[in-house]
Amino acid sequence: QTHSLGFAAGYLVPKHVFKFPERTARTISIETGMQNSALAVVLAKSIGADPISYLPGALSATAHSCLGSGLAAFWRVLDSRKEKDGDGGSSSAE
């Protein structure tokens, strides 16, 4: 799925290529993966397209919202576990 690729590239490129801190890489990942799919719906409607053409944009918006929320929750749990293990969550505070 293209959203998953956006989340992955949005994390890996800033983290490993540009050496950004963990928190910055995570933020860029969320922003990259959660592109504005609603724009597809608005554009289709504005040109008078058949209402069925709104469906891909609507489904895409739902998918990236679920994926982004899940990824943020995963990172929250990961940070909580690091804090419990005595790491102090220093990687997310960068």
Side-chain angles (χ1 to χ4, degrees):
Q1 166 144 3
T2 57
H3 294 299
S4 298
L5 292 173
F7 286 117
Y11 177 80
L12 295 172
V13 171
K15 181 72 177 168
H16 298 289
V17 175
F18 296 109
K19 308 296 184 204
F20 285 148
E22 181 73 16
R23 177 175 257 170
T24 302
R26 289 180 181 184
T27 301
I28 293 170
S29 172
I30 296 292
E31 291 297 326
T32 303
M34 294 186 67
Q35 296 300 313
N36 191 0
S37 300
L39 181 60
V41 176
V42 173
L43 289 173
K45 188 174 181 180
S46 72
I47 63 169
D50 185 3
I52 195 71
S53 66
Y54 308 169
L55 190 58
L59 293 174
S60 179
T62 303
H64 76 65
S65 294
C66 292
L67 287 168
S69 297
L71 184 58
F74 170 77
W75 278 329
R76 173 73 62 163
V77 169
L78 192 66
D79 287 346
S80 295
R81 288 186 180 166
K82 285 181 183 179
E83 288 176 10
K84 285 181 184 177
D85 291 341
D87 182 23
S90 60
S91 64
S92 66
E94 292 178 1

XYZ file of all heavy atoms in Angstrom:
688
model
N 0.847 -1.185 0.000
C 0.000 0.000 0.000
C 0.891 1.246 0.000
O 1.903 1.308 0.690
C -0.895 -0.021 1.212
C -1.552 1.293 1.455
C -2.945 1.138 1.981
O -3.390 0.080 2.203
N -3.606 2.222 2.166
N 0.479 2.244 -0.746
C 1.303 3.449 -0.886
C 1.423 4.219 0.419
O 2.447 4.858 0.661
C 0.739 4.375 -1.977
O -0.611 4.696 -1.668
C 0.807 3.714 -3.324
N 0.402 4.164 1.263
C 0.511 4.870 2.541
C 1.614 4.259 3.407
O 2.378 4.978 4.043
C -0.819 4.850 3.300
C -1.898 5.623 2.630
N -1.803 6.972 2.400
C -3.093 5.242 2.133
C -2.898 7.380 1.797
N -3.690 6.356 1.614
N 1.694 2.936 3.416
C 2.739 2.265 4.192
C 4.124 2.657 3.686
O 5.044 2.868 4.483
C 2.574 0.746 4.110
O 1.343 0.359 4.659
N 4.263 2.766 2.370
C 5.542 3.200 1.808
C 5.861 4.636 2.228
O 7.009 4.968 2.510
C 5.512 3.097 0.287
C 5.457 1.690 -0.293
C 5.264 1.753 -1.809
C 6.699 0.911 0.051
N 4.824 5.478 2.260
C 5.023 6.856 2.709
C 5.474 6.936 4.152
O 6.385 7.693 4.495
N 4.842 6.130 5.023
C 5.244 6.103 6.432
C 6.680 5.601 6.568
O 7.483 6.180 7.308
C 4.310 5.197 7.247
C 2.949 5.782 7.500
C 1.817 5.171 6.991
C 2.792 6.930 8.269
C 0.554 5.687 7.230
C 1.532 7.454 8.512
C 0.412 6.834 7.992
N 7.010 4.531 5.838
C 8.354 3.950 5.934
C 9.417 4.899 5.397
O 10.427 5.148 6.058
C 8.399 2.614 5.186
N 9.201 5.433 4.209
C 10.179 6.357 3.624
C 10.280 7.632 4.454
O 11.373 8.177 4.636
C 9.803 6.694 2.187
N 9.135 8.082 4.968
C 9.124 9.288 5.797
C 9.888 9.128 7.090
O 10.337 10.113 7.687
N 10.073 7.902 7.527
C 10.874 7.645 8.725
C 12.329 7.337 8.371
O 13.250 7.916 8.937
C 10.284 6.475 9.524
C 11.112 6.124 10.731
C 11.011 6.859 11.900
C 12.018 5.070 10.692
C 11.785 6.560 13.009
C 12.792 4.754 11.794
C 12.670 5.496 12.945
O 13.448 5.196 14.039
N 12.527 6.425 7.438
C 13.874 5.935 7.153
C 14.793 6.977 6.526
O 15.967 7.064 6.897
C 13.791 4.696 6.251
C 13.118 3.481 6.890
C 12.907 2.379 5.858
C 13.923 2.975 8.069
N 14.277 7.757 5.592
C 15.134 8.755 4.930
C 15.618 9.821 5.919
O 16.822 10.063 6.018
C 14.428 9.368 3.695
C 15.212 10.539 3.139
C 14.226 8.299 2.619
N 14.725 10.464 6.675
C 15.230 11.467 7.635
C 16.137 10.858 8.708
O 17.139 11.452 9.088
C 13.963 12.038 8.274
C 12.878 11.737 7.313
C 13.264 10.468 6.637
N 15.793 9.655 9.187
C 16.554 9.041 10.280
C 17.929 8.573 9.837
O 18.929 8.838 10.507
C 15.746 7.865 10.854
C 16.400 7.149 12.004
C 16.382 7.983 13.242
C 16.981 7.213 14.403
N 17.236 8.067 15.519
N 18.004 7.882 8.705
C 19.259 7.245 8.307
C 20.055 8.023 7.270
O 21.277 7.916 7.246
C 18.991 5.822 7.822
C 18.415 4.955 8.902
N 19.139 4.524 9.985
C 17.156 4.477 9.087
C 18.370 3.807 10.781
N 17.156 3.761 10.266
N 19.394 8.778 6.427
C 20.116 9.547 5.414
C 20.537 10.907 5.973
O 21.685 11.312 5.843
C 19.262 9.714 4.129
C 19.958 10.620 3.128
C 18.958 8.354 3.511
N 19.585 11.604 6.597
C 19.863 12.951 7.087
C 20.222 12.999 8.570
O 20.509 14.062 9.104
C 18.670 13.866 6.802
C 18.420 14.048 5.333
C 17.310 13.471 4.734
C 19.298 14.766 4.543
C 17.069 13.621 3.379
C 19.081 14.916 3.192
C 17.961 14.348 2.602
N 20.173 11.836 9.242
C 20.574 11.720 10.655
C 19.755 12.615 11.590
O 20.269 13.151 12.560
C 22.067 12.017 10.832
C 22.980 11.219 9.931
C 22.903 9.750 10.230
C 23.915 8.988 9.369
N 23.561 7.616 9.161
N 18.469 12.773 11.274
C 17.591 13.540 12.157
C 17.329 12.746 13.424
O 17.391 11.517 13.431
C 16.258 13.849 11.478
C 16.314 14.922 10.433
C 15.470 14.873 9.343
C 17.194 15.991 10.515
C 15.488 15.853 8.370
C 17.233 16.977 9.553
C 16.381 16.906 8.475
N 17.004 13.427 14.516
C 16.661 12.725 15.764
C 15.391 11.879 15.591
O 14.587 12.114 14.675
C 16.407 13.852 16.763
C 16.875 15.099 16.130
C 16.974 14.863 14.656
N 15.224 10.932 16.483
C 14.087 10.008 16.443
C 12.748 10.738 16.374
O 11.896 10.422 15.548
C 14.125 9.105 17.683
C 13.015 8.093 17.751
C 13.186 6.943 16.769
O 14.296 6.755 16.241
O 12.203 6.236 16.536
N 12.553 11.697 17.232
C 11.270 12.415 17.282
C 10.973 13.113 15.947
O 9.852 13.088 15.457
C 11.272 13.418 18.423
C 9.997 14.242 18.490
C 10.001 15.126 19.688
N 9.112 14.502 20.656
C 8.994 14.871 21.902
N 9.722 15.839 22.389
N 8.143 14.269 22.692
N 11.969 13.713 15.345
C 11.795 14.397 14.063
C 11.467 13.397 12.958
O 10.578 13.627 12.143
C 13.060 15.194 13.701
O 13.329 16.124 14.750
C 12.899 15.933 12.391
N 12.167 12.265 12.943
C 11.911 11.235 11.935
C 10.492 10.692 12.063
O 9.809 10.467 11.061
C 12.931 10.103 12.058
N 10.026 10.509 13.286
C 8.662 10.027 13.502
C 7.642 11.053 13.013
O 6.645 10.694 12.385
C 8.428 9.741 14.982
C 9.162 8.522 15.471
C 8.893 8.304 16.937
N 9.611 7.150 17.447
C 9.492 6.694 18.677
N 8.678 7.291 19.536
N 10.167 5.632 19.058
N 7.884 12.305 13.292
C 6.961 13.359 12.856
C 6.880 13.416 11.340
O 5.790 13.500 10.763
C 7.412 14.723 13.415
O 7.430 14.650 14.844
C 6.481 15.838 12.974
N 8.023 13.357 10.681
C 8.047 13.388 9.227
C 7.343 12.152 8.660
O 6.607 12.242 7.672
C 9.488 13.504 8.701
C 10.067 14.871 9.083
C 9.548 13.302 7.183
C 11.550 15.024 8.826
N 7.517 11.016 9.302
C 6.849 9.793 8.861
C 5.332 9.953 8.886
O 4.646 9.619 7.913
C 7.251 8.623 9.760
O 6.480 7.488 9.474
N 4.800 10.464 9.981
C 3.351 10.649 10.104
C 2.866 11.646 9.052
O 1.861 11.421 8.374
C 2.971 11.127 11.515
C 3.321 10.057 12.565
C 1.502 11.505 11.595
C 2.495 8.803 12.503
N 3.572 12.744 8.890
C 3.158 13.762 7.922
C 3.232 13.251 6.485
O 2.380 13.574 5.660
C 4.019 15.017 8.071
C 3.768 15.779 9.354
C 2.360 16.320 9.456
O 1.768 16.705 8.431
O 1.828 16.353 10.578
N 4.240 12.445 6.187
C 4.396 11.911 4.837
C 3.336 10.857 4.537
O 2.745 10.841 3.456
C 5.795 11.296 4.662
O 6.770 12.284 4.960
C 6.004 10.795 3.251
N 3.080 9.986 5.488
C 2.117 8.914 5.277
C 0.672 9.366 5.235
O -0.168 8.760 4.587
N 0.384 10.457 5.921
C -1.000 10.924 6.011
C -1.234 12.108 5.077
O -1.573 13.202 5.504
C -1.342 11.289 7.452
C -1.327 10.091 8.373
S -1.869 10.434 10.023
C -3.587 10.808 9.754
N -1.060 11.867 3.796
C -1.318 12.907 2.805
C -2.809 13.165 2.696
O -3.625 12.348 3.101
C -0.741 12.497 1.451
C 0.760 12.363 1.456
C 1.470 13.652 1.832
O 1.146 14.695 1.318
N 2.431 13.560 2.721
N -3.167 14.264 2.134
C -4.561 14.696 2.084
C -5.341 13.994 0.979
O -5.522 14.515 -0.107
C -4.619 16.220 1.909
C -6.003 16.762 2.106
O -6.940 16.027 2.367
N -6.140 18.056 1.978
N -5.834 12.811 1.296
C -6.626 12.050 0.329
C -7.984 12.681 0.097
O -8.618 12.436 -0.933
C -6.815 10.617 0.815
O -5.576 9.985 0.969
N -8.456 13.464 1.044
C -9.740 14.141 0.862
C -9.694 15.080 -0.335
O -10.723 15.358 -0.953
C -10.114 14.897 2.123
N -8.503 15.536 -0.682
C -8.355 16.405 -1.846
C -8.830 15.694 -3.120
O -9.426 16.328 -3.998
C -6.898 16.847 -1.996
C -6.574 17.771 -3.156
C -7.369 19.069 -3.051
C -5.087 18.071 -3.191
N -8.621 14.400 -3.198
C -9.085 13.638 -4.360
C -10.603 13.705 -4.485
O -11.142 13.843 -5.586
C -8.628 12.186 -4.250
N -11.285 13.635 -3.352
C -12.743 13.714 -3.357
C -13.194 15.098 -3.817
O -14.082 15.240 -4.662
C -13.319 13.392 -1.961
C -14.821 13.572 -1.934
C -12.930 11.986 -1.541
N -12.578 16.129 -3.276
C -12.943 17.505 -3.622
C -12.691 17.773 -5.108
O -13.533 18.376 -5.791
C -12.178 18.516 -2.739
C -12.405 19.938 -3.195
C -12.587 18.351 -1.285
N -11.542 17.324 -5.612
C -11.233 17.532 -7.031
C -12.217 16.792 -7.935
O -12.685 17.350 -8.936
C -9.803 17.090 -7.338
C -8.707 17.982 -6.776
C -7.338 17.353 -7.005
C -8.767 19.366 -7.381
N -12.533 15.555 -7.582
C -13.489 14.792 -8.393
C -14.849 15.482 -8.404
O -15.503 15.578 -9.443
C -13.610 13.370 -7.851
N -15.251 15.987 -7.257
C -16.546 16.665 -7.172
C -16.526 17.978 -7.952
O -17.498 18.329 -8.627
C -16.897 16.920 -5.708
C -18.296 17.430 -5.509
C -18.633 17.526 -4.035
C -20.063 18.021 -3.872
N -20.441 18.129 -2.473
N -15.420 18.693 -7.889
C -15.343 20.012 -8.525
C -15.386 19.937 -10.059
O -15.813 20.887 -10.707
C -14.094 20.764 -8.077
O -12.943 20.191 -8.642
N -14.938 18.818 -10.613
C -14.979 18.692 -12.079
C -16.259 17.999 -12.551
O -16.412 17.726 -13.726
C -13.740 17.960 -12.628
C -13.666 16.514 -12.117
C -12.471 18.714 -12.317
C -12.633 15.668 -12.814
N -17.138 17.711 -11.606
C -18.419 17.111 -11.962
C -18.333 15.639 -12.307
O -19.154 15.134 -13.063
N -17.358 14.958 -11.742
C -17.192 13.529 -12.027
C -18.324 12.717 -11.394
O -19.018 13.176 -10.486
C -15.848 13.055 -11.490
N -18.484 11.516 -11.882
C -19.466 10.578 -11.353
C -19.196 10.370 -9.856
O -18.037 10.201 -9.453
C -19.323 9.255 -12.108
C -20.373 8.227 -11.739
O -21.260 8.536 -10.929
O -20.302 7.113 -12.277
N -20.225 10.386 -9.014
C -20.013 10.218 -7.566
C -19.229 8.965 -7.173
O -18.555 8.967 -6.147
C -21.439 10.165 -7.007
C -22.231 10.989 -7.968
C -21.623 10.705 -9.318
N -19.252 7.919 -7.975
C -18.471 6.722 -7.648
C -16.968 7.018 -7.683
O -16.185 6.348 -7.019
C -18.827 5.539 -8.589
C -18.309 4.213 -8.030
C -18.288 5.765 -9.973
C -19.031 3.721 -6.831
N -16.573 8.063 -8.404
C -15.147 8.417 -8.470
C -14.648 9.026 -7.161
O -13.452 9.171 -6.975
C -14.888 9.370 -9.635
O -15.522 10.614 -9.405
N -15.558 9.372 -6.249
C -15.156 9.893 -4.935
C -14.632 8.770 -4.036
O -13.907 9.017 -3.084
C -16.323 10.546 -4.195
C -17.118 11.600 -4.925
C -18.310 12.050 -4.392
C -16.698 12.161 -6.124
C -19.070 13.027 -5.026
C -17.447 13.126 -6.768
C -18.629 13.555 -6.217
O -19.376 14.512 -6.846
N -15.048 7.554 -4.337
C -14.769 6.418 -3.463
C -13.286 6.165 -3.210
O -12.898 5.977 -2.046
C -15.448 5.165 -4.009
C -15.470 3.943 -3.101
C -16.162 4.263 -1.779
C -16.167 2.795 -3.795
N -12.411 6.138 -4.213
C -10.991 5.886 -3.919
C -10.389 6.895 -2.943
O -9.647 6.520 -2.038
C -10.312 5.973 -5.288
C -11.389 5.653 -6.261
C -12.642 6.221 -5.660
N -10.703 8.164 -3.111
C -10.191 9.174 -2.188
C -10.717 8.985 -0.775
O -9.982 9.130 0.198
N -11.990 8.649 -0.669
C -12.580 8.432 0.649
C -11.964 7.206 1.335
O -11.660 7.245 2.536
C -14.087 8.268 0.523
N -11.775 6.132 0.583
C -11.157 4.933 1.155
C -9.699 5.182 1.538
O -9.224 4.705 2.568
C -11.258 3.766 0.172
C -12.668 3.244 -0.099
C -12.637 2.183 -1.191
C -13.319 2.725 1.166
N -9.010 5.938 0.709
C -7.619 6.267 0.993
C -7.494 7.104 2.262
O -6.616 6.872 3.095
C -7.016 7.013 -0.196
O -5.687 7.358 0.052
N -8.390 8.066 2.431
C -8.368 8.897 3.640
C -8.609 8.046 4.885
O -7.952 8.233 5.923
C -9.418 9.996 3.537
N -9.523 7.102 4.783
C -9.791 6.201 5.905
C -8.572 5.341 6.212
O -8.191 5.172 7.377
C -11.007 5.309 5.587
O -12.124 6.143 5.296
C -11.332 4.389 6.744
N -7.944 4.819 5.165
C -6.774 3.955 5.351
C -5.622 4.708 6.008
O -5.028 4.224 6.978
C -6.321 3.387 4.006
N -5.305 5.904 5.519
C -4.149 6.594 6.106
C -4.441 7.093 7.505
O -3.538 7.163 8.343
C -3.577 7.675 5.193
C -4.331 8.950 5.102
N -4.506 9.822 6.130
C -4.938 9.524 4.053
C -5.193 10.873 5.730
N -5.479 10.704 4.461
N -5.681 7.381 7.812
C -6.026 7.775 9.186
C -5.834 6.610 10.144
O -5.282 6.772 11.239
C -7.466 8.282 9.251
O -7.589 9.476 8.520
N -6.265 5.430 9.731
C -6.099 4.237 10.576
C -4.624 3.864 10.721
O -4.154 3.568 11.827
C -6.887 3.067 9.994
S -8.668 3.280 10.071
N -3.892 3.862 9.619
C -2.472 3.523 9.666
C -1.671 4.520 10.509
O -0.827 4.130 11.310
C -1.892 3.456 8.251
C -2.297 2.249 7.421
C -1.892 2.451 5.965
C -1.673 0.989 7.973
N -1.931 5.797 10.324
C -1.212 6.818 11.086
C -1.494 6.733 12.577
O -0.582 6.838 13.405
N -2.751 6.517 12.922
C -3.110 6.370 14.336
C -2.474 5.129 14.935
O -1.986 5.153 16.065
C -4.631 6.304 14.488
O -5.217 7.506 14.056
N -2.479 4.046 14.174
C -1.852 2.819 14.657
C -0.360 2.970 14.856
O 0.201 2.486 15.839
N 0.299 3.646 13.938
C 1.737 3.870 14.047
C 2.066 4.747 15.254
O 3.000 4.456 16.011
C 2.275 4.506 12.763
C 3.778 4.716 12.682
C 4.533 3.398 12.838
C 4.135 5.382 11.355
N 1.290 5.797 15.464
C 1.512 6.658 16.622
C 1.306 5.880 17.928
O 2.087 6.027 18.878
C 0.574 7.862 16.566
N 0.288 5.024 17.974
C 0.042 4.207 19.166
C 1.189 3.216 19.388
O 1.626 3.008 20.528
C -1.282 3.467 19.019
N 1.677 2.625 18.308
C 2.808 1.698 18.420
C 4.025 2.392 19.025
O 4.676 1.861 19.921
C 3.145 1.125 17.033
C 4.434 0.365 16.997
C 4.513 -0.917 17.512
C 5.573 0.938 16.446
C 5.712 -1.624 17.485
C 6.774 0.240 16.411
C 6.839 -1.048 16.930
N 4.348 3.576 18.509
C 5.506 4.303 19.035
C 5.296 4.709 20.490
O 6.237 4.723 21.274
C 5.815 5.520 18.163
C 6.627 5.161 16.947
C 7.540 4.154 16.837
C 6.603 5.806 15.686
N 8.078 4.141 15.577
C 7.536 5.152 14.847
C 5.898 6.882 15.167
C 7.773 5.528 13.546
C 6.135 7.260 13.861
C 7.066 6.590 13.060
N 4.066 5.034 20.863
C 3.767 5.380 22.259
C 4.035 4.179 23.170
O 4.653 4.317 24.216
C 2.320 5.847 22.376
C 1.819 6.086 23.768
C 2.359 7.313 24.385
N 1.946 8.458 23.609
C 1.985 9.690 24.042
N 2.410 9.940 25.255
N 1.626 10.681 23.283
N 3.567 2.999 22.756
C 3.796 1.786 23.548
C 5.288 1.473 23.612
O 5.812 1.117 24.671
C 3.001 0.593 22.951
C 3.423 -0.728 23.569
C 1.506 0.819 23.122
N 5.976 1.608 22.497
C 7.415 1.360 22.455
C 8.156 2.273 23.427
O 9.025 1.816 24.172
C 7.928 1.559 21.024
C 9.332 1.086 20.709
C 9.423 -0.429 20.806
C 9.725 1.538 19.316
N 7.807 3.553 23.452
C 8.440 4.492 24.370
C 8.127 4.150 25.826
O 8.990 4.263 26.691
C 7.989 5.927 24.074
C 8.611 6.474 22.802
O 9.581 5.869 22.300
O 8.115 7.502 22.307
N 6.891 3.727 26.099
C 6.514 3.349 27.467
C 7.337 2.167 27.945
O 7.778 2.130 29.088
C 5.031 2.983 27.528
O 4.240 4.089 27.243
N 7.556 1.205 27.055
C 8.368 0.038 27.426
C 9.815 0.424 27.679
O 10.460 -0.108 28.573
C 8.275 -1.027 26.343
C 6.939 -1.701 26.311
C 6.906 -2.831 25.337
N 5.604 -3.445 25.338
C 5.177 -4.270 24.425
N 5.959 -4.586 23.404
N 3.975 -4.793 24.494
N 10.344 1.336 26.875
C 11.718 1.794 27.081
C 11.860 2.483 28.431
O 12.846 2.300 29.128
C 12.143 2.750 25.962
C 12.451 2.067 24.664
C 12.896 3.080 23.630
C 13.148 2.428 22.291
N 13.557 3.414 21.294
N 10.869 3.292 28.799
C 10.909 3.983 30.086
C 10.859 2.993 31.238
O 11.552 3.158 32.236
C 9.766 4.989 30.185
C 9.981 6.194 29.308
C 8.804 7.159 29.317
O 7.888 6.987 30.153
O 8.810 8.085 28.497
N 10.055 1.942 31.113
C 9.962 0.915 32.155
C 11.258 0.132 32.288
O 11.613 -0.308 33.364
C 8.813 -0.047 31.854
C 7.462 0.529 32.124
C 6.385 -0.494 31.831
C 5.015 0.119 32.008
N 3.949 -0.837 31.667
N 11.973 -0.028 31.171
C 13.239 -0.767 31.190
C 14.398 0.082 31.686
O 15.527 -0.374 31.715
C 13.560 -1.307 29.793
C 12.605 -2.405 29.367
O 11.938 -2.993 30.250
O 12.514 -2.672 28.153
N 14.117 1.339 32.018
C 15.165 2.195 32.557
C 15.907 3.010 31.544
O 16.848 3.717 31.864
N 15.483 2.938 30.287
C 16.141 3.728 29.232
C 15.799 5.192 29.372
O 16.543 6.054 28.934
C 15.712 3.192 27.858
C 16.363 3.907 26.711
O 17.447 4.503 26.918
O 15.824 3.896 25.618
N 14.645 5.474 29.959
C 14.225 6.853 30.118
C 13.603 7.442 28.878
O 13.255 8.598 28.830
N 13.462 6.632 27.835
C 12.858 7.117 26.598
C 13.670 8.178 25.904
O 13.147 9.023 25.213
N 14.997 8.140 26.088
C 15.838 9.209 25.545
C 15.772 9.298 24.031
O 15.923 10.375 23.483
C 17.286 9.004 25.976
O 17.778 7.766 25.501
N 15.499 8.180 23.341
C 15.486 8.244 21.880
C 14.297 9.036 21.370
O 14.369 9.656 20.335
C 15.469 6.845 21.272
O 14.284 6.165 21.624
N 13.174 9.038 22.093
C 12.017 9.798 21.615
C 12.078 11.250 22.034
O 11.354 12.078 21.527
C 10.718 9.167 22.133
O 10.665 9.305 23.541
N 12.940 11.575 22.972
C 13.029 12.949 23.453
C 14.049 13.752 22.670
O 14.282 14.913 22.965
C 13.392 12.957 24.937
N 14.680 13.141 21.690
C 15.712 13.845 20.903
C 15.106 14.978 20.116
O 14.040 14.951 19.650
C 16.391 12.871 19.941
C 17.212 11.853 20.686
C 17.859 10.860 19.734
O 17.693 10.968 18.500
O 18.532 9.976 20.210
